[in-house]
Amino acid sequence: MKTLVASILSLAVVAGLSGAALAEEAPANGAAPAHHAEGETPHYPLKHPKEEEWSFAGPFGHYDKGQLQRGLKVYTEVCAACHSMKLVPFRTLGELGYSEAQVKAFAANYEVQDGPDASGEMFTRKAVPSDYFPSPFPNAEAAAASNNGAAPPDFSLIAKARAVVRGFPQFVFDIFTQYQESGPDYIHALLTGYEEPPAGFQVPQGGHYNPYFNAAAVLAMPKPLSDGQVTYDDGAPATVDQYSRDVSAFLMWAAEPHLEERKRTGFMVMIFLAIFTVLIYLTKRSIYANKEH
């Protein structure tokens, strides 16, 4: 047992020293490295997303319905021109605080393909709540042809699919802090992270420099947001930072709409396990109380 404890303590010390070393070597404020060694392959993203504050973070986190409604507005007025959400049905918008009539009216703004009819032909009709968000393009090839050869990704699960992996020992600490907001942090950082490339860096034609992109330093999507682009009904700031926060939260909800229920269930399970452990301990003491040891 002493050997086991000593081993665990040794690993903890090594992890702490490694974390300190990484912190010393990392550029200040998440800045991109000044240069890479000759022939060295750079690691992306060049800048890691900063941990933002979200209402749905932590074991008791919950969605801010006002923020989700603003995020939906940003998506429909800006993002929906290129990005689909084919796994999200309109009926789920009722969870954002909209009435059934409002959901029906919202869905009716879209047209979906249906059929075949009695003549064997496909036709278009107004969407109903049971339909899903339609794609702005008929197929992936058309999407790529309209966007410089790069088809925009679907946004249904983007907040989960684009989470940035954090290395050792950070991911160990994340287990205890229950950090699960890497996806929204990444989306917010990407949307607000467009900047001029460093001196000597050549941006290909049609590309845009963004050190937060997790696949390269350049991506095909131009900066999608600008101040004053979307007018909020609740008077929230019409800034790029606010737009990015709101649409990131909305995409997190789209990827995990049952997050609040999952966290409530998890809390109840932990309470049950704690009570069950106490009962087992008291039962053991009661059974062996009169036994000779």
Side-chain angles (χ1 to χ4, degrees):
M1 179 61 71
K2 291 182 178 179
T3 303
L4 178 61
V5 173
S7 300
I8 295 175
L9 291 176
S10 299
L11 288 174
V13 172
V14 171
L17 293 176
S18 299
L22 290 173
E24 291 177 358
E25 294 176 2
N29 298 324
H35 64 278
H36 294 283
E38 186 68 24
E40 180 184 355
T41 301
H43 296 282
Y44 300 109
L46 297 178
K47 291 184 179 181
H48 284 270
K50 184 181 68 172
E51 291 187 31
E52 303 291 340
E53 294 185 3
W54 304 102
S55 64
F56 47 82
F60 305 105
H62 63 280
Y63 287 122
D64 180 346
K65 291 185 178 180
Q67 183 178 47
L68 297 184
Q69 291 182 8
R70 295 194 302 268
L72 172 63
K73 188 175 181 66
V74 174
Y75 169 76
T76 54
E77 295 189 12
V78 181
C79 310
C82 298
H83 297 275
S84 61
M85 284 207 309
K86 59 186 179 183
L87 301 180
V88 180
F90 291 112
R91 65 174 182 272
T92 59
L93 296 180
E95 299 175 11
L96 306 189
Y98 294 111
S99 66
E100 183 177 349
Q102 288 175 315
V103 173
K104 288 182 178 180
F106 183 88
N109 293 325
Y110 293 82
E111 288 190 345
V112 296
Q113 189 178 55
D114 202 350
D117 57 15
S119 302
E121 299 293 333
M122 302 298 291
F123 61 93
T124 58
R125 59 169 175 78
K126 287 187 176 182
V128 296
S130 59
D131 290 316
Y132 292 74
F133 278 84
S135 172
F137 304 101
N139 50 62
E141 289 73 19
S146 300
N147 292 275
N148 297 323
D154 180 77
F155 269 5
S156 303
L157 303 175
I158 197 74
K160 290 291 188 179
R162 291 295 189 271
V164 176
V165 178
R166 311 209 305 176
F168 182 83
Q170 188 62 52
F171 78 89
V172 178
F173 302 140
D174 291 344
I175 296 175
F176 298 98
T177 61
Q178 298 189 15
Y179 174 71
Q180 300 175 342
E181 295 76 48
S182 178
D185 285 344
Y186 170 72
I187 296 172
H188 176 268
L190 184 72
L191 293 176
T192 58
Y194 286 85
E195 59 185 49
E196 292 297 323
F201 186 92
Q202 297 295 325
V203 177
Q205 184 177 2
H208 306 272
Y209 182 78
N210 192 321
Y212 292 99
F213 187 38
N214 65 359
V218 175
L219 73 164
M221 180 178 71
K223 183 178 180 180
L225 299 172
S226 59
D227 291 345
Q229 187 174 359
V230 177
T231 302
Y232 284 144
D233 300 328
D234 60 359
T239 63
V240 170
D241 181 74
Q242 188 66 50
Y243 297 153
S244 301
R245 291 179 185 278
D246 294 340
V247 76
S248 297
F250 170 71
L251 294 177
M252 181 64 181
W253 168 83
E256 193 172 2
H258 303 299
L259 176 142
E260 295 176 347
E261 180 181 351
R262 173 176 64 81
K263 292 189 175 187
R264 285 195 299 268
T265 302
F267 178 72
M268 293 174 64
V269 169
M270 295 303 296
I271 294 296
F272 167 78
L273 290 177
I275 296 174
F276 184 71
T277 301
V278 173
L279 292 176
I280 289 295
Y281 174 73
L282 295 177
T283 301
K284 179 259 182 186
R285 290 196 60 181
S286 176
I287 291 175
Y288 290 97
N290 299 323
K291 299 288 185 179
E292 294 184 2
H293 300 283

